[in-house]
Structure formats: C-alpha cells, structure tokens
Amino acid sequence: MHRFFIPRPYAENMMIDGIDARHIYTVLKMKPGEKVQIVSDDGVTALAEITETAPGQTLVESHEPAVKITLAQGLVKGEKMDFIIQKAVELGVSCIVPLAMEHSVVRYDGEKAAKKCQRWQKIAESAAKQSKRDIIPQIAEVASIDKLMAECDCTTKIIAYECEDRQGLKQVLQSNLNTDSILIIIGPEGGISEAELDKARSGGAVPVSLGRRILRAETAGLTALSAVLYEFDELGG
Ligand code: SAH
C-alpha cells in the first residue's frame, strides 16, 4: 500500500498535491477506485480511495472514521454475536474483540473459538464491503479481560457498567474529544463481575453508565458505538 502524508487535518475529502501527486499520476499510474494510505497533519492514518487524478493533484475520499474504535464485546449467544459484528462494522468499528467473561453463558475454547472467529471475520468482510468501508475490521481472537487490558493500546478506554451511576458516557467522551482511539468494553447477558470491573479499571478503563435502563448486551454495544461516533461527528455531522 502506498502511503502519503497530507499536510492538512483529516477530512472526508482530501487532496494530495506537489511531488506526490505527480508520482501517483506519472510513475504509479494509479486510477480512480484504487486505494492509498494517507497520514494527515493531525496524525490520522486511514485508507482512502482515489476519486480523481491529474499530474498536479490527486483527490481522495475516505469512508473511515478519524477515531479508531475497538469494541470488546462480552460473548453472547449464537446469532446475537453475528448481529453485533455485522452492525458494528456497518457503523464504523475498527476492531472487535470477543470477550470471554465470567458471566458469559457461552464458552468457546480451542478449535470452536477459532472456527467462530473465522465465521465472524467473514461476516465483517461482507458487512465492510456492503457499507463501503475502506478497511475490513479485524475480529480478534476470543480474549479474557486480562489479555485485553494487557494488549490494548487505545488512548481512551471505557467500560459500560450497569451499576455505574455517577459518570455518563457523554460526559466521559466530551472530556476526551482529542483522543484518536477508544476501547469500549461491554459485558455479556449476565453482566460484568466486580473482579472484571477492577481489572478493567486498573488497566485504565473508566466505568460509564448508558442511562437508567438496563440494555441487553447487543443493544448496549451498538448503542455505545453509535454514541461515540455521534460525539465525534462521525454520524453525518
Ligand atoms: N444481567 C445484567 C445486565 C447485563 S446487560 C443485570 O441484570 O444487571 C449487558 C451489558 O450491557 C452490561 O454488562 C453493560 O456492559 C452493558 N449495559 C447495559 N445497560 C447498561 C447501562 N444502563 N449502563 C451501562 N452499561 C450497560
């Protein structure tokens, strides 16, 4: 993948000019529809599709949100997980981590987990194509909360906790609007255990409320994701 620096902040439509544009046009001979990787002035790295080329300028369009969102979703039963993955990819998630949690009703290990991940990756792939994503979001291996907290490098981390009554999602997002990557942790049908909450907290995750009603796990994940995108002006505004 060819990579170009754009000395302007990230936007949906951007222009590559100067020597890079000449290179794209005359040397690489790239055509509209082909993809390049761009790095904007404000540090966003994204894939973008070429919409026009000329010797002095290349216009590119990106369908990717500027903020990278990882959804760590407590494992829920069968088709619900398929549904969450399909919808989260449509909405704009970057990565989904299926989380094996204490109160998950389903357990996948070894071969079964690997098979499930393959299936979920396929669902992500077709949802990404259908919704014109520039990337195919990655479905990580089924992980524990310890592994998640040890490996996740998102700059902002939140855990939707059904017993939280002090901090709301909006408040926490609004004090982190400069972040480039967010981890959202959602519990399974049976909820989040206190031990898991403690581990998430020690790994830097902030517990947030999603309101005064208890949402089902699949509603909670997709609602939190939509709210994050809205707060970052990624739902059309
Ligand atoms: N069985 C639990 C609810 C689990 S809901 C109970 O009865 O209390 C599944 C997950 O969705 C929760 O673990 C949490 O991550 C999220 N969730 C649902 N409603 C929420 C709310 N109002 N605030 C924050 N998180 C919520």
Side-chain angles (χ1 to χ4, degrees):
M1 184 63 62
H2 298 285
R3 193 177 154 104
F4 299 96
F5 178 71
I6 299 188
R8 280 172 289 276
Y10 180 83
E12 192 183 322
N13 292 290
M14 283 170 292
M15 187 177 75
I16 303 171
D17 53 14
I19 198 164
D20 283 345
R22 268 206 307 283
H23 188 66
I24 290 173
Y25 190 82
T26 53
V27 180
L28 301 173
K29 299 190 196 316
M30 293 185 89
K31 299 274 179 291
E34 288 188 67
K35 295 200 170 157
V36 291
Q37 191 173 52
I38 56 105
V39 183
S40 62
D41 202 23
D42 48 353
V44 177
T45 303
L47 282 190
E49 183 179 322
I50 296 178
T51 53
E52 254 182 76
T53 53
Q57 65 172 42
T58 303
L59 301 183
V60 296
E61 182 183 271
S62 174
H63 305 107
E64 290 307 310
V67 58
K68 306 272 177 265
I69 307 172
T70 297
L71 176 64
Q73 172 77 52
L75 280 177
V76 289
K77 279 191 240 160
E79 286 179 4
K80 285 187 179 169
M81 204 68 191
D82 296 0
F83 178 80
I84 295 170
I85 288 169
Q86 184 189 57
K87 299 302 165 203
V89 169
E90 273 174 44
L91 282 163
V93 79
S94 288
C95 174
I96 297 174
V97 185
L99 265 192
M101 299 185 83
E102 249 174 76
H103 299 151
S104 288
V105 180
V106 285
R107 306 240 168 257
Y108 301 124
D109 27 49
E111 211 175 304
K112 195 150 184 213
K115 274 215 171 110
K116 278 279 174 193
C117 285
Q118 274 174 15
R119 175 186 163 77
W120 292 331
Q121 191 63 57
K122 280 204 183 117
I123 293 174
E125 201 173 316
S126 63
K129 284 190 183 142
Q130 187 269 333
S131 55
K132 298 211 185 323
R133 296 287 304 268
D134 294 320
I135 61 156
I136 296 170
Q138 192 214 342
I139 313 298
E141 284 172 17
V142 176
S144 63
I145 192 118
D146 300 274
K147 184 166 189 274
L148 174 74
M149 298 323 290
E151 292 178 5
C152 176
D153 57 3
C154 287
T155 45
T156 301
K157 298 175 185 146
I158 54 181
I159 176 163
Y161 185 49
E162 55 273 27
C163 304
E164 173 62 37
D165 56 7
R166 284 156 303 166
Q167 293 194 102
L169 177 63
K170 189 184 179 88
Q171 177 193 349
V172 172
L173 291 178
Q174 288 193 344
S175 30
N176 285 283
L177 285 176
N178 287 328
T179 194
D180 61 354
S181 50
I182 300 191
L183 168 70
I184 307 172
I185 305 170
I186 304 286
E189 293 100 336
I192 293 167
S193 74
E194 281 186 25
E196 286 166 336
L197 181 73
D198 285 347
K199 286 177 183 170
R201 267 212 173 107
S202 351
V206 182
V208 297
S209 163
L210 298 178
R212 279 170 286 154
R213 291 152 304 279
I214 297 292
L215 309 175
R216 284 185 182 254
E218 65 274 27
T219 317
L222 295 171
T223 303
L225 176 59
S226 308
V228 170
L229 288 161
Y230 182 80
E231 217 49 71
F232 281 80
D233 294 336
E234 291 286 356
L235 283 185

